[in-house]
Amino acid sequence: PMMSRAELLGQMMKNYHHAVAVAGTHGKTTTTSMLTEILLAADQNPTISVGGILPSIGGNIRIGGQELFVTEACEYTNSFLSFYPTIGVILNIEADHLDFFKDLDDIKQSFRRFAQLTPQDGHIVANADDAGAMDALKGLPLFTFGCCEGADCQARNLTWQHGRPDFDVVAGGEVYTHLSLRVAGLHNVYNALAAASAAYVLGIPGKAVRQGLEGFFGAGRRFELKGQYNGARIYDDYAHHPAELHALLDMAKSLGYDRVICAFQPHTYTRTKALFEDFVQELQIADVVVLTDIYAAREQNTIGISSRDLADRIPNAYYCPSLQDAAEKLREIARAGDLIITVGAGDIYTVGERLIS
């Protein structure tokens, strides 16, 4: 029989007592990785499918027992509607993949249908602080997480150490655990809350949540340290949506470097055109921007858009058509005290690797 990858994952899910599917416009890989670490710390034996390389499982797949299945759930082409989750996690809902979806309302309807796949004795875990998620899921029975009052799982007493969060996780009115994350940024507070919420409804003890996350330094291509060049530290990140860029660059600016240099490779012509003004706004958070040509992925450039169009609108931006050009520009401007981040869902990561080699 012939079937899509999503249909195959859905058929596999049916064989597990618990199937956790992590959906959202952003944060799926990190949250799935966090939940994996928690379950391993709790001596569970989960089967895992994650969209990035996770060092603790030696790749992106782990074959475990038949009790527990954990996977990312992507909305593109409605693929997650082939799933059979007993716990559906929804991190956030924003406009993306507009080459497939008509508009944000169409995306919200898709996520609502995904949430409704959970059985009556299952759980829909959702971000109470995300307007898109709350609008899409209105009227459904939810287990919510967030920093706001009234969420079922909350971050309380939140403090920051060099951009990294420290907080209590309060669930059911009591302190479930305390977390001192090794990954920076407010977006990772939400990712950790989502993973902790899934663990909580699964009955995992709070001690395992703390143990699992205290050694979590991120999945591959999620603010991943690559090395140094000319005194500058080089990281790589998969961000390819304006909201992801905002979270990444905002966090990077909080880390105390002299300059944040963002080498960005836009991903697909349709996304770049549809969200053009948002990209212009968010890229200006960086002190210097190096823009390579758009990564085509599955598309042809039938709309006549170029990274040069972005560079023309952004102060301190350089247009470098090829990856080699981008590497040369970074060699030219890099200095001690800089944070250089190669950013995008294509092959921009090779630019940082060229510098280091």
Side-chain angles (χ1 to χ4, degrees):
M2 300 290 290
M3 64 182 74
S4 70
R5 175 179 174 276
E7 288 170 326
L8 177 61
L9 278 174
Q11 293 302 310
M12 290 167 62
M13 264 180 228
K14 287 181 171 182
N15 297 315
Y16 291 82
H17 185 62
H18 294 293
V20 184
V22 180
T25 311
H26 329 289
K28 294 183 289 294
T29 295
T30 297
T31 303
T32 304
S33 299
M34 285 179 164
L35 182 55
T36 297
E37 301 291 1
I38 292 167
L39 296 174
L40 293 175
D43 293 324
Q44 302 293 310
N45 187 21
T47 294
I48 304 293
S49 172
V50 63
I53 301 302
L54 185 58
S56 62
I57 64 173
N60 71 316
I61 295 290
R62 180 186 192 273
I63 307 301
Q66 286 196 305
E67 176 68 16
L68 193 51
F69 186 97
V70 180
T71 183
E72 291 186 33
C74 181
E75 74 276 19
Y76 186 57
T77 67
N78 287 325
S79 61
F80 61 4
L81 299 185
S82 297
F83 287 4
Y84 294 85
T86 61
I87 298 172
V89 179
I90 297 178
L91 304 170
N92 39 61
I93 302 175
E94 295 185 29
D96 195 15
H97 299 303
L98 295 173
D99 57 324
F100 175 77
F101 293 108
K102 286 182 288 190
D103 51 27
L104 181 56
D105 285 338
D106 191 24
I107 295 168
K108 288 178 181 177
Q109 288 173 20
S110 182
F111 274 94
R112 185 177 182 88
R113 288 167 63 198
F114 165 74
Q116 290 172 322
L117 296 174
T118 58
Q120 284 193 334
D121 59 349
H123 298 276
I124 305 168
V125 176
N127 186 349
D129 295 348
D130 186 77
M134 289 299 96
D135 184 45
L137 306 176
K138 200 178 299 178
L140 297 179
L142 305 176
F143 183 94
T144 57
F145 63 89
C147 296
C148 63
E149 287 295 326
D152 298 307
C153 181
Q154 298 175 30
R156 295 229 187 121
N157 306 316
L158 176 61
T159 59
W160 299 89
Q161 302 291 331
H162 306 292
R164 292 170 176 83
D166 185 282
F167 56 98
D168 291 325
V169 178
V170 176
E174 298 181 353
V175 175
Y176 177 43
T177 192
H178 180 85
L179 294 177
S180 297
L181 297 183
R182 305 295 184 94
V183 288
L186 183 61
H187 59 295
N188 277 317
V189 174
Y190 283 99
N191 292 336
L193 284 173
S197 296
Y200 182 81
V201 299
L202 282 167
I204 303 298
K207 178 183 176 183
V209 177
R210 187 181 73 252
Q211 289 176 341
L213 295 186
E214 68 185 5
F216 177 71
F217 292 90
R221 302 217 60 210
R222 274 67 182 177
F223 200 59
E224 179 183 4
L225 178 62
K226 305 295 284 190
Q228 293 196 36
Y229 173 77
N230 201 30
R233 286 172 76 82
I234 299 173
Y235 284 78
D236 179 64
D237 197 272
Y238 195 71
H240 55 286
H241 183 280
E244 294 166 350
L245 277 172
H246 181 89
L248 171 67
L249 295 176
D250 208 39
M251 176 270 291
K253 292 285 280 189
S254 75
L255 299 180
Y257 289 88
D258 294 340
R259 296 189 302 175
V260 173
I261 299 173
C262 175
F264 182 57
Q265 181 186 48
H267 191 263
T268 73
Y269 305 108
T270 52
R271 181 184 283 112
T272 306
K273 182 175 175 62
L275 304 175
F276 184 86
E277 294 299 330
D278 295 329
F279 279 119
V280 169
Q281 177 180 328
E282 302 304 349
L283 285 166
Q284 291 184 61
I285 298 173
D287 298 294
V288 181
V289 179
V290 174
L291 287 153
T292 73
D293 265 339
I294 297 167
Y295 189 81
R298 54 191 170 265
E299 297 182 348
Q300 300 290 322
N301 189 8
T302 59
I303 51 182
I305 193 165
S306 165
S307 293
R308 188 189 292 276
D309 301 325
L310 286 170
D312 289 344
R313 293 280 304 279
I314 298 168
N316 298 319
Y318 300 95
Y319 170 59
C320 299
S322 72
L323 297 180
Q324 182 63 39
D325 294 335
E328 290 300 327
K329 175 55 69 175
L330 291 173
R331 281 196 188 95
E332 176 188 323
I333 64 177
R335 65 187 188 216
D338 286 344
L339 169 61
I340 297 173
I341 320 174
T342 57
V343 184
D347 53 2
I348 185 70
Y349 65 90
T350 62
V351 169
E353 292 175 352
R354 289 183 198 201
L355 288 181
I356 295 159
S357 66

